[in-house]
Amino acid sequence: NHVDGEGVVSLHVPGALAKRDRIMELRSHIPQTSDDSQRSVIVYVGDSSTDLAALLEADIGIIMGTSSSTTVIAKRWGIRIVPLEHRRDHGFGSG
């Protein structure tokens, strides 16, 4: 990770599979537990089609923006993209 003078944290991981592999590596360092209240959750935020593999590997994947290539590829893979404002309509979140 890198933190610049403005306090912005960035992680440079080249390529789609390298991003997914980084999530898998992180997961391997998290202790496994059967107690859901103690379970760690990996969240990945991406903005392009090169993030799809990592978004799928994470427990929660968040796509920022409206990348048409990401939407097309996700649809081909059978992945449902739900806008945050519609998440409860699709069974995500409480309330």
Side-chain angles (χ1 to χ4, degrees):
N1 292 347
H2 171 75
V3 181
D4 70 12
E6 303 285 316
V8 175
V9 179
S10 60
L11 173 63
H12 300 286
V13 180
L17 295 181
K19 293 174 184 181
R20 183 210 57 205
D21 292 347
R22 189 65 188 226
I23 298 291
M24 292 170 69
E25 178 187 348
L26 176 62
R27 189 177 308 284
S28 74
H29 294 290
I30 297 173
Q32 300 297 314
T33 178
S34 59
D35 181 1
D36 281 344
S37 68
Q38 298 296 315
R39 185 173 164 254
S40 297
V41 176
I42 297 174
V43 177
Y44 186 90
V45 179
D47 65 353
S48 72
S49 58
T50 62
D51 292 309
L52 278 174
L55 288 160
L56 292 172
E57 184 64 35
D59 296 308
I60 299 171
I62 300 171
I63 299 173
M64 294 177 48
T66 56
S67 168
S68 61
S69 63
T70 302
T71 303
V72 168
I73 292 171
K75 187 174 181 178
R76 282 187 197 153
W77 287 1
I79 300 165
R80 179 177 52 161
I81 297 176
V82 178
L84 286 176
E85 64 266 18
H86 300 294
R87 70 189 180 281
R88 289 193 177 101
D89 300 338
H90 294 274
F92 300 105
S94 60

